[in-house]
Amino acid sequence: ISDFQVVTAIFFVRKTMGVATYREDSNAILLDSFPFSAENMERIISFLKETTHTTKFLVSPTTSTNKTFLDLLSANENGNIQCQTLKSSCWQESFAKTCIAAHLRVRSTFDDVGIGIMQYLSQICDTECTEMMQSLGALVFYLTKEIFNLSQDHVFVSEIYRFPPDNRLRMDFNVFRSLQIFKEDYHPNWTKGGGKSKEGFSLFALMDRTITLPGRRKLHEWMVSPLNDMDVILNRQENVSFFMQDSSAEFLLSVSSHLKRTFDIPRLMLSMKKASMKPVDWLHLYRTLSEWKSMLEVFYLHGDATQHPFPFSQRFFSASYGGTSLTIIIEILGIIDTVVDVSKCMGGDYMIIRDGYNEILDQKRNTFDHIESELILAAQQILDQNPAIQVRPADSVYWTVRFE
């Protein structure tokens, strides 16, 4: 689906295994606990790998000594999955809860009404499950050091939920695989390591008609965790049927044309949160937000023309932005347009700041634009102060050629 990181922390003691997974694509954390024994160990690990596509497992020093467990975690048809051992102190219950309270933040209204992160978690899962909290604490510690390595030392996520959420169907691993919802194929040339995998003949491959990476990831998410709530299922079917109506054909074509000119918004927004944006990323963000703004106008025009307003436009856009508010997106677009002279940047991997935005920058720009005359003036001053220096005609010709 993508090269986003999916990091899973696993901790087990006695008969319970706690799991905490961070998905970089949705910027979300998934939590759960499972009954654990030697008999169901392989089934649970296979299910986790199949549904999360974990790229790295975090384990404790004690777990790393269990070779059978470690082999099951790292085994993969297309090369081994990386397993990283975190120091023992990261997995202690007291450290875990302190780390969670100090560093984990959720972008939601809960912060606005004074609800702390531990109270927020208590509404989602059983915070008395020691193994799950220890896994979450170790995961948060890893994220502060490796992914959200900002000066504030906080991990800002869009959402935390059970894996899968309560309104999603839990399928046994064997059932999940036998339905062939997904099937990975690999390049037959194993002399070169097999290469990257791709989706084979599966239900997902048959249904995938998406034209953007966020759309493909969303379809994958829907099929990994099917709904089990009838009202929610009917609501989704009603929303999808909106695009299937004959009256929506022109509207759908217009929306598709805008989508094809967009870049991967969730990735760009995540790079912004991590302060790792490159100049070309800001240009891609501007182009994408401009297309989304135009698309929003198409949504409203279609609603006015058909007297049937688009039923979930706000949620549609919010999901496409990785959960970011539409108001914030438009505000970001305005800020970029105020600071960056986009018309002069298109086609390059650089940014040009508008004249008049910063006085010091304008002075530096003016000096750079007149660098040739400044250097000639400096050279002339050196010659005036040092009459002994002789400049031959040939040297003068070379001087002129060099600065032209």
Side-chain angles (χ1 to χ4, degrees), residues 27 29 103-112 115-117 120-121 124 155-160:
N27 192 35
I29 289 178
H103 303 297
L104 185 57
R105 299 291 182 271
V106 182
R107 187 179 65 247
S108 69
T109 56
F110 288 97
D111 293 333
D112 298 333
I115 296 180
I117 185 63
Y120 175 82
L121 287 172
I124 300 169
V155 174
F156 290 95
V157 297
S158 299
E159 190 178 7
I160 300 175

Side-chain angles (χ1 to χ4, degrees), residues 229-236:
D229 187 310
M230 180 62 70
D231 292 335
V232 180
I233 293 174
L234 292 174
N235 181 257
R236 178 180 290 178

